[in-house]
Amino acid sequence: MKYIATLLSLLAAPAYAAVVREYDLNLTASYQAPNGFYREVFLVNGQQPGPLIEADEGDTIITNVHNNLQVPITIHFHGIHQVGTPWMDGFPGVTQRPIFPGESFLYNFTTVGQYGSYWYHAHVRSYYQDALERNPTPLYVMDWTKLTSDALYYRDVTYGLDPACVLGFLVNGNGRVTCPSNELITTAGAGRLATFEALFGAQSSFDSLGCLDLSAINGFSGINNVALESPGFSTPCQSSTTDREIFYVNGSEWMMLNVINMGGGFGTYLSIDGHDMWVLQVEGIFIQPQKVKQLHVGLGSRYIIAVQTVKNNGDFSIRFASSELPQVTEQIAWLSYNQPTATQPLDYPVPSDIYQDIGGNLYDPENMKSFNESAAAPYDDDIKPPQGPAQHTIHFTLNRTSIVGFSVMDSGAEMPSDMELMTPLLWADDLNQPTTVDVGIKLGDVVDLIIYNMPQAPHPIHLHGHSFWVVSESNLGFFGYSSVEVAIANGSSTLNLNNPPYRDGYTVAPSGHAVFRYVADNPGAWMLHCHINMHLMVGMGAVILEDREAIRPSIPSSVINF
Ligand SMILES: [Cu+2]
């Protein structure tokens, strides 16, 4: 897959009048080697990155997307709630038809009541994985594969091969493959190996890319079948010497970074040698700041962090370690107090104060704090969930349903593979589809999504159209109650209606659960899905209808007839 993703930056409400901001996005394909290995990539306006879309809260953003690729595409503005314009949400088969090669589509929406950093990305198959970003101010991290997303998809559905092994990460489109020693991999991966053996009752081992041999998983013997591996996966690791991303300190005491995980499969542990990070904002919402040595950045998650630049000289590693069980892999960018030079030194000296190893394990977990997601309460006390019972409680189970199937539905139903080509559910007359959730949600209703995850893998779950409160979460088992109301009555120990995190995505732990609460203030047809692209592509999504009939008469004919 080529990835198409870049930043949409919204500033808080201005004192002056809202304006209309227009952008043209030309999508094209190219052939590039960001970390030393050539493959097809997608570009926005012939460049990497695509243009930054900047706007003030309340502004109208008009984006004309021209598809010059050979594949259909849509653009989803991740985290933008699309209040009053659910047809601009960019999910094919749900809110619009795909933009086919040669076609253009006009996205037109107003940023109601939102500020912060968002990103826009393709939402057909997983093409956003195939674009590149090189904007120096934000910090975009993504896992990178040698194959395109279409090749991965083909490989997955044809051979049942999970893309569980990557060529490391890219940081703002830059990176280098450095093959770690076997000793480094085994030390950093010891915990994963133990978890694997406990989960699947099978022995395994790491290869030179740090990938676990998954072929021993009982019942899924095709997974990562080494005999069917493609170049770039589990082949002997090859190092490259491409440039790393460098963040230059400009003399001020703080460096602010917009951290976004734009990857397709892997979460990452971020730490900066010798430096503290203050996490200030999560998914567009200021939080009670946390001073940490390590931040886990799940797929689709967005953070604003302030780095205290107190060292005054030298170069320091910014480390990105995979947080996914199947692979121990690390990418490094640099934080530099020096002046930029024409050519990048091949290797900087390794500083002594490293906080995490290549598996993301903290060297001194007693004294080194990692960001606590569940304690990330909004800074603004007024961002509180409604108390008391909800009008609707919907249960979901995250599950692998077959070797090439994933589901969020209790029934195990998968999103149809040809969903993208169907009449969008926002105005379809036929709603008879196994992953459509139509429970009669009306404007103002309180909705609880009780999500249980089977003991397989963490899933970063993203909801469109809303931010939600994570009113209960645990990596230790099911919620245990049929509803929040029953949990309140029984004094649930995991329930937090007082100061829960408020966000638009949350990673649900294996064998764990999360309960999302939101207010139905945005009629539409909203996706609830896993942000691991391959999981979504093989069924891991549902559409929650919210007062859909109220919005149907307002859908522009230009959208319906597109
Ligand atoms: Cu998933």
Side-chain angles (χ1 to χ4, degrees):
M1 339 223 170
K2 355 277 125 151
Y3 101 74
I4 289 196
T6 193
L7 198 69
L8 168 65
S9 177
L10 291 178
L11 303 175
Y16 47 87
V19 299
V20 175
R21 296 174 189 268
E22 291 187 55
Y23 291 85
D24 270 280
L25 302 183
N26 273 300
L27 311 181
T28 53
S30 178
Y31 200 62
Q32 302 195 353
N35 64 354
F37 302 91
Y38 275 92
R39 51 159 281 184
E40 189 181 23
V41 300
F42 285 178
L43 305 177
V44 184
N45 293 357
Q47 70 185 67
Q48 309 148 6
L52 169 69
I53 294 183
E54 260 181 308
D56 293 305
E57 183 182 339
D59 285 357
T60 294
I61 298 173
I62 296 179
T63 313
N64 201 358
V65 175
H66 311 284
N67 183 4
N68 301 309
L69 303 166
Q70 291 179 335
V71 294
I73 204 123
T74 62
I75 297 291
H76 168 57
F77 295 83
H78 187 112
I80 296 291
H81 294 159
Q82 299 291 2
V83 176
T85 50
W87 48 83
M88 291 295 162
D89 194 45
F91 201 101
V94 178
T95 68
Q96 70 168 104
R97 293 190 177 84
I99 310 166
F100 284 97
E103 289 182 342
S104 298
F105 185 83
L106 198 70
Y107 290 94
N108 181 344
F109 59 89
T110 301
T111 56
V112 183
Q114 288 191 273
Y115 59 88
S117 293
Y118 301 85
W119 57 302
Y120 56 96
H121 62 76
H123 227 309
V124 168
R125 292 234 180 128
S126 51
Y127 291 134
Y128 79 76
Q129 257 175 271
D130 301 334
L132 282 171
E133 287 311 322
R134 284 182 207 266
N135 194 321
T137 309
L139 192 165
Y140 309 139
V141 57
M142 65 182 302
D143 55 274
W144 190 247
T145 52
K146 188 164 183 183
L147 299 183
T148 66
S149 62
D150 268 346
L152 289 175
Y153 180 61
Y154 176 80
R155 184 176 169 270
D156 193 57
V157 297
T158 310
Y159 302 114
L161 293 170
D162 234 7
C165 190
V166 301
L167 265 184
F169 293 93
L170 295 181
V171 181
N172 293 348
N174 289 311
R176 182 183 296 172
V177 177
T178 308
C179 302
S181 71
N182 188 264
E183 191 192 343
L184 261 180
I185 293 173
T186 10
T187 309
R192 289 165 201 246
L193 200 58
T195 305
F196 180 90
E197 292 178 0
L199 262 179
F200 302 107
Q203 304 284 306
S204 188
S205 59
F206 292 101
D207 68 11
S208 61
L209 275 168
C211 300
L212 271 177
D213 177 6
L214 303 183
S215 60
I217 298 177
N218 189 25
F220 296 114
S221 57
I223 296 178
N224 261 23
N225 181 336
V226 178
L228 291 171
E229 288 300 323
S230 314
F233 293 90
S234 294
T235 50
C237 183
Q238 265 182 284
S239 294
S240 65
T241 56
T242 36
D243 280 354
R244 299 190 186 281
E245 182 69 5
I246 305 182
F247 296 85
Y248 290 99
V249 177
N250 64 5
S252 71
E253 193 194 332
W254 296 93
M255 176 181 267
M256 305 286 279
L257 294 170
N258 258 321
V259 181
I260 304 180
N261 186 339
M262 295 183 173
F266 280 23
T268 187
Y269 289 113
L270 159 64
S271 88
I272 308 177
D273 292 0
H275 288 73
D276 287 317
M277 301 182 283
W278 294 80
V279 183
L280 305 179
Q281 202 190 79
V282 180
E283 290 164 8
I285 301 290
F286 284 103
I287 60 160
Q288 301 289 342
Q290 290 186 32
K291 182 186 179 188
V292 299
K293 301 274 196 239
Q294 183 187 57
L295 169 66
H296 179 253
V297 189
L299 287 175
S301 288
R302 311 176 310 283
Y303 298 87
I304 291 182
I305 62 171
V307 181
Q308 205 167 4
T309 51
V310 293
K311 296 287 178 179
N312 297 324
N313 62 63
D315 300 296
F316 297 84
S317 292
I318 306 176
R319 295 170 190 278
F320 302 86
S322 153
S323 60
E324 307 306 323
L325 181 74
Q327 189 176 9
V328 172
T329 184
E330 181 191 56
Q331 184 58 271
I332 286 177
W334 282 314
L335 179 71
S336 178
Y337 289 81
N338 297 320
Q339 293 301 311
T341 51
T343 52
Q344 188 175 104
L346 198 58
D347 277 305
Y348 280 141
V350 178
S352 56
D353 40 4
I354 306 174
Y355 303 139
Q356 71 179 30
D357 67 14
I358 65 167
N361 306 293
L362 287 170
Y363 285 112
D364 181 6
E366 294 288 306
N367 297 302
M368 295 174 179
K369 261 186 73 179
S370 199
F371 180 69
N372 185 341
E373 300 268 1
S374 59
Y379 188 79
D380 180 352
D381 283 341
D382 293 340
I383 305 179
K384 259 195 196 334
Q387 309 290 303
Q391 276 74 42
H392 306 278
T393 299
I394 312 169
H395 294 257
F396 294 94
T397 301
L398 312 180
N399 193 12
R400 175 168 220 139
T401 45
S402 72
I403 193 153
V404 288
F406 280 92
S407 176
V408 300
M409 304 297 289
D410 261 9
S411 64
E414 296 161 14
M415 270 196 115
S417 59
D418 57 351
M419 179 87 189
E420 290 162 359
L421 300 174
M422 294 178 176
T423 304
L425 281 170
L426 194 57
W427 62 85
D429 290 323
D430 179 15
L431 293 174
N432 184 23
Q433 202 238 86
T435 55
T436 305
V437 179
D438 186 10
V439 294
I441 297 171
K442 292 291 174 208
L443 198 64
D445 287 353
V446 174
V447 182
D448 286 333
L449 312 181
I450 298 181
I451 302 170
Y452 174 57
N453 190 3
M454 297 296 278
Q456 294 158 349
H459 296 284
I461 300 298
H462 173 49
L463 176 66
H464 291 207
H466 291 280
S467 292
F468 50 79
W469 289 273
V470 185
V471 298
S472 176
E473 62 92 38
S474 168
N475 55 6
L476 299 170
F478 190 47
F479 185 45
Y481 307 96
S482 56
S483 68
V484 167
E485 188 178 12
V486 175
I488 295 171
N490 288 277
S492 156
S493 63
T494 58
L495 194 67
N496 176 10
L497 287 168
N498 182 40
N499 59 353
Y502 185 63
R503 47 195 305 172
D504 54 53
Y506 200 79
T507 299
V508 187
S511 307
H513 78 270
V515 180
F516 301 164
R517 167 166 284 202
Y518 63 96
V519 178
D521 54 5
N522 192 12
W526 301 118
M527 282 295 303
L528 176 80
H529 68 90
C530 180
H531 224 287
I532 295 175
N533 278 332
M534 213 52 57
H535 293 184
L536 173 59
M537 286 162 72
V538 296
M540 200 162 198
V543 183
I544 301 175
L545 300 185
E546 174 177 337
D547 216 357
R548 186 188 76 135
E549 298 313 318
I551 204 86
R552 274 180 91 177
S554 343
I555 303 174
S557 57
S558 59
V559 173
I560 292 183
N561 296 328
F562 177 74

